[in-house]
Amino acid sequence: MFSVIITTHNRDKLLKKAYKSVIKQSYKPNEIIIINNGSSKYFKKNFLIRKKVNLKIINNHKNLFQSRARNLGAKISKNKYICFLDDDDIWEKNYLNHARKLIISSKNEIILSKIYTYKNKLKLFKDPKNFKLSDILIKNPGITGSNVIFNKKIFMSLGGYNSKLEPSEDKSILVEAILKNKKIGFSDKKIIFSLHQGKRLTKNYHKLSNGVYNFFEKYKKYMNFSQKVFVLNRINIYRLKSFQLKFISNFIFFYLLNKIVN
């Protein structure tokens, strides 16, 4: 029923934790695909850990980054439903089994689950339940690659993840699903979102500003005036953080305008 696609980039210890959370699922996936964008090669013997798993490992010669790596995994997957997991996240033990029940009982085409963080104690980070299109347009209401399961045909029909929008590609594909009236179900099973101090795309402010700007250009026709001002102000904050000082006048303008309209 499920193909699990794990994308990774030079985070071996975290990857093994993510992988273990998959093979320990109460309902086992039919297939696990590791898309390695890292500098070192991986082999099956590094992961099997006394369990027989239908495991595929793709070692890329260059870093495809998140979206293209996920899309590659989806393309070569063999099962009806595809599940994505980032190398620095883990799933609760009953994650796949509960998703299976939701799919069977309600014919859901997409499943979203709750995101938790764990530092001193486990706590709810973002809950995507009952979000609306307007929520996604200006913020992330709780959508990452690790907490979403797609019917493969639906995923391919939506065009997969858009690499030009990273790190807003997770939001974009859900926007497309909502616009096309796809059936989305919600699970209360936990995704543990890592708070490690390693490299994150969300700290690459140059790429972040470009991705959010491309997202804005693609979906601004669905935004009202105040939403547009809010997003443009955020884009200029990212630009300043990436030391693109030429945008400082833009930042001041949209910051003040955002204060006025909100």
Side-chain angles (χ1 to χ4, degrees):
M1 186 175 192
F2 294 118
S3 290
V4 176
I5 299 158
I6 307 175
T7 55
T8 187
H9 177 69
N10 293 339
R11 294 197 285 215
D12 295 14
K13 290 182 179 179
L14 291 170
L15 170 62
K16 288 181 179 179
K17 289 181 180 180
Y19 178 78
K20 284 182 180 179
S21 79
V22 176
I23 62 175
K24 290 181 178 180
Q25 289 293 303
S26 59
Y27 181 85
K28 307 299 182 188
N30 302 90
E31 173 183 52
I32 302 173
I33 302 171
I34 296 176
I35 306 293
N36 173 29
N37 286 321
S39 56
S40 59
K41 288 187 176 181
Y42 293 129
F43 302 93
K44 287 185 180 181
K45 65 181 180 180
N46 302 121
F47 293 93
L48 293 182
I49 316 175
R50 301 188 303 277
K51 290 182 182 292
K52 293 183 179 180
V53 179
N54 181 11
L55 174 65
K56 296 177 184 176
I57 299 177
I58 307 297
N59 290 299
N60 293 319
H61 296 296
K62 63 178 182 179
N63 189 352
L64 298 182
F65 296 101
Q66 195 75 285
S67 298
R68 292 173 62 198
R70 289 174 181 167
N71 292 342
L72 173 60
K75 184 176 180 181
I76 65 176
S77 65
K78 301 296 184 184
N79 294 282
K80 186 173 182 180
Y81 287 87
I82 50 178
C83 320
F84 297 99
L85 180 61
D86 293 345
D87 60 3
D88 52 351
D89 299 332
I90 60 175
W91 287 338
E92 185 178 9
K93 186 176 181 179
N94 294 322
Y95 175 75
L96 290 181
N97 191 40
H98 192 254
R100 179 183 66 88
K101 291 177 180 178
L102 287 175
I103 290 167
I104 293 172
S105 63
S106 303
K107 309 299 180 184
N108 290 295
E109 299 166 313
I110 300 170
I111 303 292
L112 278 172
S113 296
K114 294 181 179 180
I115 305 172
Y116 286 75
T117 59
Y118 185 82
K119 198 170 184 180
N120 297 321
K121 62 179 181 179
L122 193 66
K123 64 178 181 178
L124 182 64
F125 178 53
K126 289 183 178 179
D127 185 350
K129 192 172 184 179
N130 299 323
F131 69 81
K132 303 180 291 293
L133 178 60
S134 58
D135 297 325
I136 310 177
L137 293 175
I138 63 169
K139 61 183 179 180
N140 190 327
I143 303 164
T144 75
S146 297
N147 74 327
V148 63
I149 296 174
F150 288 95
N151 177 297
K152 181 179 177 178
K153 287 184 178 179
I154 298 300
F155 178 82
M156 302 306 287
S157 72
L158 295 173
Y161 287 105
N162 188 332
S163 61
K164 293 181 180 180
L165 306 183
E166 290 182 358
S168 296
E169 82 284 2
D170 298 325
K171 294 198 309 174
S172 174
I173 197 167
L174 265 294
V175 171
E176 296 298 325
I178 292 170
L179 293 175
K180 293 177 173 59
N181 297 313
K182 302 305 179 184
K183 190 169 184 181
I184 302 173
F186 297 92
S187 170
D188 61 0
K189 297 305 171 186
K190 299 180 182 66
I191 309 304
I192 313 301
F193 181 79
S194 175
L195 291 175
H196 67 86
Q197 298 302 311
K199 289 185 177 180
R200 288 184 180 277
L201 179 57
T202 50
K203 296 298 183 181
N204 183 339
Y205 292 110
H206 179 72
K207 191 174 180 67
L208 188 59
S209 64
N210 288 339
V212 176
Y213 177 77
N214 290 335
F215 179 89
F216 171 77
E217 286 294 307
K218 186 175 178 67
Y219 297 112
K220 63 183 179 181
K221 62 185 175 183
Y222 301 107
M223 300 179 187
N224 59 37
F225 180 73
S226 62
Q227 289 171 333
K228 289 177 182 179
V229 172
F230 178 85
V231 175
L232 286 169
N233 181 55
R234 189 153 57 94
I235 291 167
N236 282 290
I237 290 172
Y238 296 147
R239 285 171 170 169
L240 288 181
K241 287 185 176 181
S242 66
F243 302 107
Q244 299 179 66
L245 297 180
K246 63 183 178 180
F247 292 107
I248 192 167
S249 60
N250 291 27
F251 165 72
I252 294 171
F253 174 77
F254 284 109
Y255 175 80
L256 293 175
L257 190 57
N258 185 53
K259 290 291 186 181
I260 293 170
V261 299
N262 292 300

